[in-house]
Amino acid sequence: MNLARLASLLLLSAALASGPASAETQLKVYLSSQGQPAVWRKALDQFEVRNPGIKVMIELGGATSDLQAQYLNTVMSAKDPSLDVLILDVIRPAQFAAAGWLSPFPEKDLLAYLRPYAEANTVEGKVVALPAFADAMFLYYRKDLLDKYDIPPPKTWEELAVAAQKITDGEHNQNLQGLSFQGKAIEGAVCTFLLPYWSQGKTVVENGKLIFDRDAAIKALALWKSFVDKGIAKKSISEVATDDTRKEFQAGNVVFAVNWGYAWALFQGEGSAVVGKVAVSRLPAVTGGEQSTCLGGWEWGVSAYSKHQDEAKKLAEFLSGPEISKFMAINGSLLPTYPALYTDSEVTKAAPWFADAVPVVGTARARPVTPRYNEVSEVIRTTVNAVLAGVATPAEGASQIESRLKRIFH
């Protein structure tokens, strides 16, 4: 064999051993198992068509924000590079950024998004995540029953109590609850506490400092306990989680329900007892206070440990863009993060209720923004649960929250 042929064979062998000249980049996106993964897959397919050198895989996580956070905390603490793009509850960016787990977007401008999301994703002047879709807590109500008794949507919690009592008394249905909300010691119970607390013009944390009003906390906890004591909410409300409220309302067993945006599509779905009977409004205020609601939604973060930083950021920006926000609104009933999409004719045709949703989402308030949010959440949720279960009085609960938060922020 001559030297030229031998050299050619050696070059061919080396090329075969090293694989294709332009290897594909593979990205892995972490998604919630309950967050419309099939629809997000279609959005990822669009990204792959436009970026033929990149393939995107999905890893599905737990069904709740808490379960997802537990898993991601383990992965990120280990500096595991296997995940590139993460979907995060709106309460997580500040925590993940403080831990050094997110890669910032130094050139990104968030002015086009709904204001609360620009604030939630900016930490110490840096954009650390990008909005995926919006959400907020809504007051769902049985429009057919309110119409029947000539009752307008309540603007105060006191009005709601009167309306719920009138309707449940009139219906003579032992299975019909006046109000369902989250009393279990879960993340939703933090919002349960904050709704009437915020309504009194109070806050918990401001610029990283604790600002807690014990009297307002007593009033907030006493409000929820009064619903139980009066029989407007069921005695076992301390065992009710977010999707329990959704299931109860969907079965036709609740007049008013406090829940997130995801529930709307399910209320209109096959097997629902309330199809065409549901409406939404802003959550009520305490008498003399302002109507307040809890900001929800999810964000796209890029793992600081991803080995494909540029590609991962390109994917996150694509998924956070107006085109995909519109696609997910139409195909997944996910609330847009861009104000203009709430009046887009194609969006409003697919989801007419968004017209009622925008004033709620646009004025929602973020839960305390602090790297120590997990501890703050634990304090509030467990205390709310204890008060509703009758283990502590509202005054005792407020004192417990105050003393425990002071230790955290000491």
Side-chain angles (χ1 to χ4, degrees), residues 377-388:
S377 172
E378 177 70 16
V379 167
I380 295 175
R381 68 171 78 180
T382 54
T383 306
V384 169
N385 178 258
V387 170
L388 292 172

Side-chain angles (χ1 to χ4, degrees), residues 198-408:
W198 279 337
S199 182
Q200 298 170 71
K202 306 301 180 182
T203 190
V204 177
V205 177
E206 192 171 290
N207 298 323
K209 294 183 179 180
L210 179 65
I211 301 175
F212 185 77
D213 190 300
R214 183 176 176 277
D215 290 339
I218 293 173
K219 190 171 181 179
L221 293 169
L223 172 74
W224 296 113
K225 187 63 166 63
S226 72
F227 287 128
V228 181
D229 294 341
K230 293 175 182 176
I232 293 167
K234 64 183 184 181
K235 295 292 184 187
S236 59
I237 196 71
S238 62
E239 300 171 10
V240 172
T242 306
D243 212 43
D244 297 326
T245 293
R246 190 271 302 173
K247 290 174 183 175
E248 291 171 350
F249 190 91
Q250 189 169 327
N253 296 329
V254 177
V255 179
F256 296 102
V258 179
N259 215 322
W260 302 97
Y262 84 99
W264 177 271
L266 296 170
F267 293 155
Q268 310 306 322
E270 186 177 350
S272 172
V274 294
V275 176
K277 302 175 181 179
V278 187
V280 297
S281 69
R282 295 182 68 184
L283 285 153
V286 297
T287 300
E290 295 183 4
Q291 290 175 273
S292 297
T293 194
C294 211
L295 184 72
W298 294 79
E299 324 306 311
W300 294 115
V302 170
S303 168
Y305 309 114
S306 168
K307 294 181 179 178
H308 309 288
Q309 291 290 320
D310 291 343
E311 295 89 343
K313 288 181 180 178
K314 186 174 186 180
L315 174 58
E317 293 200 10
F318 174 79
L319 294 174
S320 183
E323 180 184 351
I324 297 303
S325 188
K326 179 175 178 176
F327 175 81
M328 296 304 296
I330 293 171
N331 296 281
S333 292
L334 296 181
L335 290 157
T337 55
Y338 293 87
L341 289 177
Y342 285 88
T343 54
D344 181 279
S345 59
E346 292 176 280
V347 171
T348 54
K349 181 180 179 182
W353 79 282
F354 281 9
D356 296 322
V358 67
V360 182
V361 178
T363 57
R365 293 181 61 169
R367 280 157 276 178
V369 178
T370 168
R372 303 191 69 175
Y373 180 77
N374 285 347
E375 296 165 86
V376 173
S377 172
E378 177 70 16
V379 167
I380 295 175
R381 68 171 78 180
T382 54
T383 306
V384 169
N385 178 258
V387 170
L388 292 172
V391 176
T393 66
E396 290 168 344
S399 295
Q400 289 171 18
I401 293 175
E402 183 176 39
S403 61
R404 292 173 69 187
L405 289 182
K406 281 182 176 178
R407 286 197 293 273
I408 291 171

Side-chain angles (χ1 to χ4, degrees), residues 75-204:
V75 172
M76 303 306 285
S77 295
K79 300 183 179 181
D80 188 335
S82 62
L83 298 178
D84 300 286
V85 178
L86 322 169
I87 199 163
L88 302 170
D89 191 320
V90 70
I91 61 177
R92 309 291 176 199
Q95 302 168 54
F96 278 47
W101 294 343
L102 297 178
S103 290
F105 297 81
E107 305 300 323
K108 188 65 178 178
D109 186 344
L110 299 183
L111 289 177
Y113 298 95
L114 288 165
R115 179 190 53 77
Y117 294 97
E119 294 174 356
N121 289 302
T122 304
V123 178
E124 295 182 353
K126 295 180 180 178
V127 177
V128 299
L130 303 178
F133 60 92
D135 205 355
M137 272 191 158
F138 297 89
L139 180 69
Y140 288 93
Y141 62 91
R142 286 284 300 275
K143 187 176 186 303
D144 60 324
L145 292 178
L146 267 68
D147 288 348
K148 177 179 177 180
Y149 291 90
D150 195 26
I151 298 172
K155 287 186 166 35
T156 69
W157 291 107
E158 290 77 4
E159 289 174 2
L160 183 145
V162 172
Q165 196 70 64
K166 182 177 180 179
I167 292 170
T168 53
D169 287 348
E171 290 299 294
H172 304 292
N173 179 351
Q174 291 185 344
N175 293 322
L176 186 64
Q177 301 170 55
L179 172 67
S180 183
F181 58 92
Q182 288 77 66
K184 194 170 183 176
I186 57 167
E187 183 58 36
V190 177
C191 290
T192 295
F193 170 76
L194 289 171
L195 296 174
Y197 180 84
W198 279 337
S199 182
Q200 298 170 71
K202 306 301 180 182
T203 190
V204 177

